[in-house]
Amino acid sequence: SRPCDLEDVAIPLTSALLHAADEYNIPSFSFLKLNGLKALASQCSESVPEFIGTQFCSQNWSIQHRMDMLETVYQAALELSS
């Protein structure tokens, strides 16, 4: 079920996940991170993809972070279309 305050915390959670790094060698970290981002983007389908789009255009992201952002939006779009 969707928490009632998800819209309020979606952007800070998205930002935290985008900045998250695998400092402890967690198995499947990238997969878990992308699934979290995809869930946020599909549940808050207006605010989170817009936020990711503005972050994508800023200059402080690596190529891998930008690829994660594109994959997030792609996976969320697939989920929303099915």
Side-chain angles (χ1 to χ4, degrees):
S1 75
R2 181 183 163 149
C4 61
D5 63 343
L6 185 59
E7 281 291 336
D8 297 333
V9 298
I11 299 303
L13 281 173
T14 302
S15 180
L17 282 171
L18 287 173
H19 286 94
D22 187 11
E23 298 175 9
Y24 303 104
N25 295 320
I26 298 170
S28 304
F29 177 82
S30 295
F31 175 78
L32 296 169
K33 177 180 171 178
L34 286 174
N35 272 348
L37 287 166
K38 177 184 77 167
L40 285 166
S42 62
Q43 290 296 311
C44 302
S45 58
E46 292 181 19
S47 59
V48 171
E50 181 180 346
F51 173 74
I52 290 174
T54 58
Q55 291 299 302
F56 185 87
C57 295
S58 69
Q59 296 181 354
N60 60 336
W61 296 105
S62 68
I63 296 296
Q64 183 59 53
H65 280 102
R66 291 174 196 268
M67 293 297 294
D68 289 347
M69 291 178 204
L70 291 173
E71 184 67 22
T72 296
V73 173
Y74 171 71
Q75 291 295 327
L78 286 177
E79 186 170 313
L80 289 169
S81 69
S82 59

